[in-house]
Amino acid sequence: TCPEGPLEEGGDSEPNTLRVHAARGSVAAMAASFQLVARTGHPSFLDLPWNEPLEDWDSPRFVNLIRGISRHVVRFVEYDGALYALKELPERPARREWTLLRRLEGQGLPVVEAVGIVTDRSEERDAILITRHLEYSLPYRTLFAGAAIPDLRTHLLNALAELLARLHIRGFFWG
């Protein structure tokens, strides 16, 4: 047990993970209740206001990055020079994305690293998926909007087609 709540190893199903159960009144929860499952080797994220909607957060850790279009609230935070994306979405799709990203990473595919997931937040709030920001990445929309590099559009479309083919070959299907 730590001041933030009990700690548990992830177990066989989730190696290299740490679970933190923050209870009402604990220092980390700031009178909130939530469950955080985070992979080891990353920050604890316990200084973030999990009891508030992500859209309303005010944290000195926030950084502004170019982002793509998303139907969910996405914010970026920095810890010791590393950037992380926080995406608020319903728990079921958050868990599905967490599992999918871990599986694809385990197969050696080029995906962002799923770092953590926060569930059981106060007042029936949605879950938050935490991923490590991929350095030098930009949304496709941003890249297609520019005309600075000749034939960039063709190279991007070829790279996207290759990625989709690699995902499909590994068993990831759409539709």
Side-chain angles (χ1 to χ4, degrees):
T1 304
C2 71
E4 292 82 13
L7 299 176
E8 303 171 8
E9 290 297 327
D12 293 336
S13 64
E14 294 182 87
N16 300 320
T17 62
L18 191 63
R19 296 178 186 273
V20 177
H21 304 277
R24 294 194 183 283
S26 73
V27 174
M30 295 185 207
S33 176
F34 63 89
Q35 179 179 11
L36 168 65
V37 175
R39 294 173 75 173
T40 56
H42 296 280
S44 70
F45 303 102
L46 293 175
D47 61 326
L48 297 174
W50 300 112
N51 57 326
E52 299 174 20
L54 182 56
E55 188 172 43
D56 297 342
W57 287 12
D58 182 26
S59 172
R61 294 204 175 277
F62 281 140
V63 293
N64 288 321
L65 296 177
I66 297 172
R67 66 181 96 191
I69 297 172
S70 176
R71 63 181 138 170
H72 304 289
V73 176
V74 178
R75 308 283 300 267
F76 297 93
V77 293
E78 178 189 359
Y79 284 87
D80 298 323
L83 299 176
Y84 296 89
L86 309 175
K87 179 166 71 170
E88 190 172 53
L89 66 166
E91 184 173 342
R92 187 171 178 200
R95 287 188 183 281
R96 187 176 18 200
E97 189 169 338
W98 162 266
T99 302
L100 177 65
L101 287 171
R102 298 279 309 263
R103 188 178 317 138
L104 293 173
E105 179 187 5
Q107 293 179 11
L109 290 167
V111 296
V112 295
E113 181 182 2
V115 172
I117 185 169
V118 180
T119 58
D120 301 325
R121 297 171 64 212
S122 62
E123 300 181 31
E124 304 292 320
R125 300 208 191 287
D126 283 342
I128 295 182
L129 179 67
I130 306 168
T131 57
R132 176 85 188 256
H133 182 263
L134 191 58
E135 288 188 57
Y136 309 109
S137 65
L138 290 171
Y140 266 91
R141 182 181 184 97
T142 302
L143 294 171
F144 281 123
I149 301 173
D151 300 321
L152 179 62
R153 182 183 200 90
T154 301
H155 292 299
L156 291 173
L157 287 172
N158 287 339
L160 178 59
E162 180 183 341
L163 175 60
L164 293 176
R166 289 176 69 187
L167 290 171
H168 184 75
I169 289 168
R170 296 290 178 110
F172 183 81
F173 298 94
W174 292 264

